[in-house]
């Protein structure tokens, strides 16, 4: 089965349970490095400008509308989808099934998905190197990876205003003209979540170097909200 056919099959099999749980399919990704990984991304339906930010329970109680699908919803979808894939024997080789939300650094599967994120920083990886239109190679050598603020979304392309993101999370304009990227040239495009590193104690402006407070010994924990990654055969 081709990758495109597998994505269509996953979408078809997941749609009934996704719809029943009140969420929508954001996209399907298939990673072929090592053991195959099939990733299904689900999200809450987009609200229009006139729609309230509250939801109403069956009992009539108003609650804040969820910002994304819950862990429980992802687990439920994973169970149903994993069983459906096994019944149809859709994936002949060993694979891993992951169901999660798109998260803050969400991967875009269509230009329409990008429209609500105008002004955000987007990272685009291309199939082939590309230079800005009208820019001499001495000014901007062709590159496969572009990062920039999303300035416009067109019918078949989007425009980035190039930026530089420092290790500390500082975003500054790059001295380059805007670059127009055709959707057919893009291999992968995603929103960048910019995390600004906090100023260390004693390192900020007007502060004398200080000693870090001692930490009490303890155990740490790590979890990954918004998804589940059961392994299937």
């Amino acid at each position: 089965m081709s990758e495109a056919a597998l994505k269509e099959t996953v979408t078809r099999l997941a749609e009934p349970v996704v719809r029943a749980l009140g969420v929508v399919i954001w996209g399907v990704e298939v990673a072929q490095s090592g053991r195959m990984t099939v990733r299904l991304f689900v999200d809450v339906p987009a609200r229009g400008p006139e729609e309230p930010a509250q939801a109403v329970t069956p009992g009539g109680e108003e609650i804040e509308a969820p910002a994304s699908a819950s862990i429980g919803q992802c687990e439920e979808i994973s169970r149903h989808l994993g069983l459906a894939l096994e019944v149809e024997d859709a994936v002949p080789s060993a694979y891993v099934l992951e169901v999660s939300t798109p998260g803050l650094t969400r991967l875009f599967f269509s230009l329409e998905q990008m429209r609500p994120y105008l002004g955000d920083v987007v990272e685009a990886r291309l199939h082939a190197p590309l230079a800005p239109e009208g820019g001499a190679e001495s000014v901007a050598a062709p590159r496969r990876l572009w990062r920039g603020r999303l300035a416009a979304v067109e019918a078949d392309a989007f425009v980035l205003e190039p930026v530089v993101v420092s290790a500390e999370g500082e975003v500054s304009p790059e001295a380059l003209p805007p670059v127009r990227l055709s959707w057919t040239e893009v291999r992968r495009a995603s929103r960048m979540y910019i995390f600004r590193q906090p100023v260390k104690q004693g390192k900020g402006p007007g502060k004398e170097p200080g000693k870090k407070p001692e930490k009490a010994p303890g155990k740490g924990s790590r979890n990954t909200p918004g998804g589940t990654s059961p392994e299937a055969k």
Side-chain angles (χ1 to χ4, degrees), residues 83-233:
L83 179 59
L85 288 171
E86 288 298 309
V87 169
E88 291 208 2
D89 197 19
V91 190
S93 60
Y95 69 97
V96 174
L97 174 63
E98 298 179 357
V99 178
S100 68
T101 67
L104 295 173
T105 56
R106 54 185 55 210
L107 180 63
F108 296 116
F109 293 89
S110 70
L111 286 165
E112 192 61 33
Q113 291 178 337
M114 301 180 75
R115 295 187 188 280
Y117 299 94
L118 289 169
D120 288 0
V121 178
V122 168
E123 179 179 272
R125 296 181 182 274
L126 312 181
H127 294 291
L130 179 74
E133 293 182 5
E137 287 191 3
S138 59
V139 176
R143 59 179 75 167
R144 289 179 182 269
L145 176 64
W146 284 96
R147 290 174 178 169
R149 294 198 181 276
L150 184 60
V153 179
E154 304 171 1
D156 59 351
F158 59 94
V159 179
L160 296 183
E161 296 174 345
V163 298
V164 175
V165 182
S166 71
E168 293 74 28
E170 296 290 341
V171 180
S172 55
E174 193 173 2
L176 293 174
V179 58
R180 182 179 182 274
L181 303 176
S182 171
W183 187 249
T184 57
E185 298 173 326
V186 176
R187 181 168 63 87
R188 183 184 178 91
S190 59
R191 176 182 181 267
M192 289 188 68
Y193 174 65
I194 308 299
F195 175 75
R196 295 189 63 180
Q197 295 286 347
V199 177
K200 293 183 179 179
Q201 185 177 1
K203 299 295 184 180
K207 293 184 179 180
E208 294 295 328
K211 184 179 179 181
K212 288 186 177 180
E214 294 184 0
K215 287 187 177 181
K219 294 183 179 180
S221 63
R222 180 182 178 186
N223 66 51
T224 306
T228 178
S229 307
E231 184 173 321
K233 183 179 178 182

Side-chain angles (χ1 to χ4, degrees), residues 11-111:
T11 300
R12 172 176 57 83
L13 296 176
E15 185 63 39
V17 63
V18 168
R19 185 170 57 249
L21 291 174
V23 293
V24 295
I25 294 176
W26 179 262
V28 179
E29 182 183 35
V30 176
Q32 297 282 0
S33 57
R35 176 176 290 189
M36 180 186 292
T37 301
V38 179
R39 298 187 181 99
L40 173 70
F41 298 97
V42 295
D43 204 7
V44 294
R47 292 197 302 266
E50 303 300 324
E51 293 183 84
Q54 284 78 33
V56 180
T57 66
E61 179 186 0
E62 286 192 357
I63 58 174
E64 185 176 352
S68 67
S70 68
I71 294 177
Q73 287 172 320
C74 291
E75 290 175 341
E76 184 74 8
I77 294 167
S78 180
R79 283 194 293 269
H80 284 268
L81 178 57
L83 179 59
L85 288 171
E86 288 298 309
V87 169
E88 291 208 2
D89 197 19
V91 190
S93 60
Y95 69 97
V96 174
L97 174 63
E98 298 179 357
V99 178
S100 68
T101 67
L104 295 173
T105 56
R106 54 185 55 210
L107 180 63
F108 296 116
F109 293 89
S110 70
L111 286 165

